[in-house]
Amino acid sequence: MPQNKKITLKDRVITSLGHNEPDVMPYSISMTKGAHDKMAEFYNDPDFMKGLDRYLVSAGVASRLPDKWFTEQTFDDCEIFMQDSNERYDWLAKFAEENKDSFIIIAGTSYFETAWGLYGMQNLMADMAGNEKFVYKIMDRIHEHYLNMIGQIVKFDIDCVHINDDYGMQTGLIMGPVCWRKFFKPYLKEAVAKIKSGGKYAQLHSCGDLREIMPDLVEIGFDILNPFQPEAMDVYEIKKEFGKYITFSGGVSEQKVMAQGTPDDVERETKEKMKLLGKNGGYIVGPSQAITDDVPAESIDRFIKIVTNQ
């Protein structure tokens, strides 16, 4: 990089995505409203987040689902998504300009969560086992909608398209790897190809243990996996095996260390993750899930101080 060029927050994220170590490790700090309110009181500053470097900036394009679940009998007549319009995307131009020094992630697509949100988790899981044809029918319509959405999003000067799809429990996949590969992988592969054809990065959010499908996620072409939960996976082994291909965002134990440990525990955990997972890039340090309001303010403060004073 030329010496006279200012290194932006986005530059550091992209360096890490290229599996190189940036001069300062990018971080992501997300928290629930309860945790945010607690810290606003702790700092006596309701705008404390504005003082932090915003390496990752995200927003979403909404897809309105129907108020009631459909059935197999009513599906064909059900308008499951709002009609697309330019107004759904036009705001992205201003958003991109306002955040041009940050790495901009735009969300809105979700395959598994949309499917069970449309007609119920139990119904979807049952049909995966006994009514495959109908599951494919649902997924085809969801996929058509999201491919169009991705095509619109990538026209703007953003950096990454986010797919939000929680497949994991802390003991493995909700539907198991066979069903995941059958009903979701083909659609995800086409969606990521569409994202890449628009010159953007692709991020997947899924909580839980994804070890069984990590090779598939690499094959599909995801660039970033979030939130990377040490409560569910051996994050060091995962980084060692797959860190050349995918960047991991998260990794600091929110559920155990941050919620149950002391501020000193949080400091040790954060520094260890930065040192070990950050080696050779491919890592964005952050909590393994949005920080919840049961995490002590002193522990959140210690985490913020560690990642912001590198």
Side-chain angles (χ1 to χ4, degrees):
M1 187 174 295
Q3 298 240 333
N4 59 354
K5 182 183 184 299
K6 174 189 172 185
I7 300 175
T8 66
L9 303 176
K10 179 186 296 191
D11 291 331
R12 292 184 175 122
V13 175
I14 292 175
T15 296
S16 192
L17 287 171
H19 306 284
N20 296 300
E21 294 183 30
D23 61 327
V24 176
M25 182 178 293
Y27 61 79
S28 174
I29 302 175
S30 60
M31 57 185 72
T32 64
K33 183 179 185 303
H36 180 277
D37 291 346
K38 176 190 290 187
M39 297 312 295
E41 183 177 352
F42 181 84
Y43 291 128
N44 194 28
D45 178 8
D47 297 321
F48 73 95
M49 290 289 284
K50 292 183 178 178
L52 305 177
D53 286 331
R54 302 183 72 198
Y55 283 94
L56 309 178
V57 175
S58 60
V61 176
S63 290
R64 187 182 65 228
L65 301 183
D67 295 331
K68 296 181 180 180
W69 290 344
F70 60 74
T71 66
E72 185 172 1
Q73 290 70 38
T74 62
F75 177 71
D76 288 333
D77 297 324
C78 181
E79 187 59 52
I80 64 174
F81 293 112
M82 69 174 72
Q83 294 296 314
D84 248 339
S85 64
N86 290 337
E87 289 74 22
R88 293 185 66 208
Y89 305 99
D90 284 349
W91 60 273
L92 283 169
K94 182 180 179 182
F95 184 80
E97 176 60 29
E98 290 174 344
N99 295 285
K100 60 186 177 182
D101 287 342
S102 298
F103 187 81
I104 301 170
I105 303 172
I106 301 300
T109 57
S110 172
Y111 283 83
F112 174 55
E113 292 192 356
T114 298
W116 69 254
L118 287 169
Y119 82 126
M121 174 76 80
Q122 198 169 13
N123 296 328
L124 175 63
M125 301 297 281
D127 281 348
M128 283 183 188
N131 195 357
E132 293 184 7
K133 185 176 180 181
F134 184 52
V135 175
Y136 284 124
K137 191 174 184 179
I138 294 166
M139 294 305 301
D140 284 347
R141 192 184 297 187
I142 290 172
H143 188 49
E144 179 183 9
H145 175 77
Y146 284 142
L147 284 183
N148 179 69
M149 179 184 285
I150 290 167
Q152 296 295 325
I153 291 172
V154 298
K155 294 177 183 178
F156 295 88
D157 192 18
I158 58 98
D159 302 291
C160 181
V161 179
H162 174 93
I163 296 177
N164 195 81
D165 242 6
D166 275 328
Y167 307 118
M169 305 178 291
Q170 293 199 184
T171 55
L173 298 183
I174 294 171
M175 72 296 289
V178 173
C179 278
W180 182 86
R181 292 185 181 111
K182 181 185 292 185
F183 295 113
F184 301 104
K185 182 178 178 179
Y187 298 103
L188 290 168
K189 195 167 186 176
E190 287 190 10
V192 170
K194 182 89 170 181
I195 293 167
K196 297 297 186 70
S197 71
K200 313 302 182 185
Y201 294 95
Q203 173 172 280
L204 174 68
H205 168 92
S206 177
C207 298
D209 182 357
L210 305 181
R211 181 65 183 80
E212 294 172 300
I213 60 168
M214 279 302 306
D216 301 272
L217 301 182
V218 171
E219 178 194 335
I220 287 168
F222 281 108
D223 300 290
I224 310 171
L225 176 64
N226 158 276
F228 202 36
Q229 289 183 282
E231 300 89 353
M233 297 187 288
D234 185 332
V235 294
Y236 300 114
E237 284 299 315
I238 295 290
K239 176 63 161 58
K240 182 179 179 180
E241 187 171 354
F242 300 102
K244 292 185 293 186
Y245 312 106
I246 194 165
T247 292
F248 298 99
S249 178
V252 176
S253 174
E254 193 276 341
Q255 185 178 341
K256 293 182 178 178
V257 177
M258 296 189 79
Q260 301 176 26
T262 66
D264 287 346
D265 294 330
V266 172
E267 180 170 340
R268 281 192 293 271
E269 164 85 353
T270 305
K271 287 182 175 179
E272 180 181 85
K273 293 291 165 55
M274 292 172 69
K275 178 182 179 180
L276 298 180
L277 296 178
K279 186 177 181 180
N280 300 318
Y283 182 56
I284 298 165
V285 63
S288 60
Q289 191 55 280
I291 300 171
T292 52
D293 57 6
D294 60 337
V295 178
E298 293 78 10
S299 291
I300 301 174
D301 175 59
R302 187 70 65 88
F303 172 77
I304 290 173
K305 285 176 176 173
I306 296 303
V307 299
T308 59
N309 290 285
Q310 299 180 53

